[in-house]
Amino acid sequence: NLLKNAFETHVLYSRTEPVNIVCDGGPENKGDLDQWTTSLKHPSTIKLTAQTETFPFSNNMSESIHHIFKNVFLRDYIPNNKASLILKLKEFEFFYGHKLYPLELFGFTTQQVLNGAIPDKHRFALQIENSQKMRAKENHATVYCKECFPQAE
């Protein structure tokens, strides 16, 4: 069990102050986890469900970043030790802030928005419209189009 290993590795069983476990309300965080946390006598353990009034964050943000790190940034690269993983995390931090263009930022990087750029969903509307017209004009000018679409002449 991952939490048992974490408690042993970081000597959390002997802590005097409470240990907070933050998780979402998913089914994997019920049942065995609840039984295990209730069975702990020392330290007292508080299971916090993410994105509540007291804890306004959601784990889907961290899951999303983990997915991007693993499947987009690392792809087939597997770090062979802790040092190479730390190096890749530092590279990812730069990639995520300066090279990645999240859809919700409409063509800006995270760093550009943090520096004051305002995302605008209509930012590329005119460019997209003009490109569509140009592609249609180019398509209609080809021999292929005249053979398949004689009405285009």
Side-chain angles (χ1 to χ4, degrees):
N1 176 318
L2 183 62
L3 283 175
K4 287 179 185 174
N5 288 342
F7 267 65
E8 289 166 7
T9 303
H10 301 286
V11 198
L12 297 177
Y13 287 113
S14 59
R15 280 181 61 136
T16 53
E17 59 274 352
V19 174
N20 294 326
I21 299 173
V22 180
C23 59
D24 64 8
E28 71 279 5
N29 296 312
K30 295 182 177 135
D32 290 344
L33 177 61
D34 287 338
Q35 288 175 356
W36 182 73
T37 55
T38 336
S39 73
L40 291 175
K41 302 296 178 226
H42 230 335
S44 59
T45 306
I46 302 165
K47 182 178 140 194
L48 301 171
T49 302
Q51 206 163 9
T52 62
E53 214 171 284
T54 355
F55 193 80
F57 304 102
S58 168
N59 80 330
N60 67 354
M61 293 176 233
S62 57
E63 285 176 359
S64 173
I65 290 173
H66 179 261
H67 175 80
I68 293 168
F69 176 68
K70 189 173 94 178
N71 298 306
V72 176
F73 184 74
L74 288 181
R75 284 175 292 201
D76 296 327
Y77 176 81
I78 300 171
N80 54 5
N81 57 40
K82 188 176 180 178
S84 64
L85 175 61
I86 290 171
L87 180 64
K88 283 295 178 185
L89 284 169
K90 287 179 182 180
E91 291 173 15
F92 177 69
E93 184 178 359
F94 180 82
F95 168 80
Y96 191 82
H98 298 274
K99 300 288 183 191
L100 188 68
Y101 293 87
L103 291 175
E104 55 276 357
L105 299 184
F106 303 105
F108 288 116
T109 65
T110 304
Q111 196 60 47
Q112 288 171 316
V113 171
L114 289 172
N115 289 335
I118 309 292
D120 176 12
K121 69 179 180 179
H122 302 293
R123 179 176 176 206
F124 297 108
L126 184 60
Q127 184 180 348
I128 290 168
E129 185 181 329
N130 289 339
S131 295
Q132 287 172 336
K133 288 177 186 174
M134 183 59 89
R135 280 192 305 278
K137 186 177 177 182
E138 288 171 0
N139 288 341
H140 288 298
T142 64
V143 174
Y144 176 79
C145 242
K146 290 177 185 169
E147 290 174 10
C148 293
F149 304 106
Q151 72 277 10
E153 292 180 26

